[in-house]
């Protein structure tokens, strides 16, 4: 399977002609979003998606995008402690300078939000509340995310009481 995955990713680089990190991250996202199809068609499962995200992280450990996406994937699969670790690592990385393709939302707010959500599910309501307060004070949090973050903050405060 590892050889098949590597061949598939290498083929993807050649076909698209893009930055290898972007291709690795996109490959992991495709596996993630279309996991049911991948399981049926290619025999890929949870471990394959993890491996694809880890490939992207290993390729560019100084970048937060794959860390944040893996944290989201783990959280959605109820692996909250692991999600918190990856989100924490993502939230500590500064946005790199001089890169052509960058998901600035990861550096602006998404990594912090993933960390807050994972912390909440790990039972650390105070940390999640603090992080969501910080996000609500930050103008980079998009308007369409504010109501959800406020609702999460309210739930964290209520649960901590």
């Amino acid at each position: 399977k590892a050889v098949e995955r590597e061949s598939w990713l290498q083929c993807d680089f050649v076909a698209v002609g893009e930055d290898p990190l972007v291709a690795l991250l996109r490959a992991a996202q495709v596996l993630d979003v279309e996991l049911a199809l991948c399981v049926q068609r290619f025999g890929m499962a949870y471990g394959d998606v993890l491996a694809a995200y880890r490939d992207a992280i290993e390729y560019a450990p100084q970048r937060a995008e794959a860390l944040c996406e893996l944290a989201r994937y783990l959280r959605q699969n109820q692996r909250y402690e692991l999600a918190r670790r990856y989100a924490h690592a993502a939230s500590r990385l500064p946005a790199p300078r001089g890169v052509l393709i960058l998901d600035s939302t990861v550096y602006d707010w998404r990594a912090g939000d993933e960390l807050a959500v994972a912390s909440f599910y790990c039972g650390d309501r105070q940390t999640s509340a603090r992080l969501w307060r910080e996000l609500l004070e930050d103008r980079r949090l998009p308007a369409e995310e504010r109501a959800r973050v406020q609702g999460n903050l309210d739930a964290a405060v209520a649960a901590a009481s």
Side-chain angles (χ1 to χ4, degrees):
K1 278 190 181 178
V3 173
E4 291 172 8
R5 188 180 79 243
E6 288 175 16
S7 299
W8 180 61
L9 293 175
Q10 288 170 356
C11 179
D12 196 45
F13 296 156
V14 173
V16 178
E18 64 188 338
D19 176 3
L21 170 64
V22 174
L24 284 167
L25 183 55
R26 192 167 52 75
Q29 290 168 331
V30 166
L31 290 176
D32 177 0
V33 172
E34 299 184 16
L35 182 57
L37 173 63
C38 289
V39 167
Q40 285 179 339
R41 196 165 176 200
F42 302 113
M44 295 178 174
Y46 175 81
D48 295 306
V49 176
L50 290 180
Y53 278 122
R54 287 182 178 153
D55 287 346
I57 292 165
E58 186 176 314
Y59 180 79
Q62 74 283 7
R63 299 277 299 263
E65 291 98 321
L67 290 164
C68 186
E69 289 297 328
L70 180 53
R72 179 195 50 75
Y73 179 73
L74 290 165
R75 174 183 52 78
Q76 289 175 334
N77 283 277
Q78 300 177 349
R79 303 294 306 272
Y80 303 121
E81 187 55 46
L82 276 175
R84 183 160 76 167
R85 290 178 192 173
Y86 282 104
H88 183 260
S91 70
R92 297 180 53 84
L93 290 173
R97 297 183 186 272
V99 296
L100 294 176
I101 301 173
L102 177 77
D103 184 350
S104 61
T105 65
V106 168
Y107 300 93
D108 291 348
W109 65 273
R110 284 186 49 226
D113 189 37
E114 281 299 334
L115 179 56
V117 173
S119 294
F120 180 88
Y121 283 112
C122 286
D124 189 352
R125 307 304 200 259
Q126 290 180 331
T127 296
S128 60
R130 177 183 54 79
L131 290 166
W132 281 319
R133 279 189 193 99
E134 290 172 5
L135 283 172
L136 288 167
E137 293 170 2
D138 192 330
R139 62 178 175 74
R140 296 175 299 175
L141 180 67
E144 61 271 14
E145 296 292 334
R146 291 189 174 276
R148 178 188 59 79
V149 171
Q150 183 64 58
N152 289 349
L153 172 59
D154 295 344
V157 168
S161 302

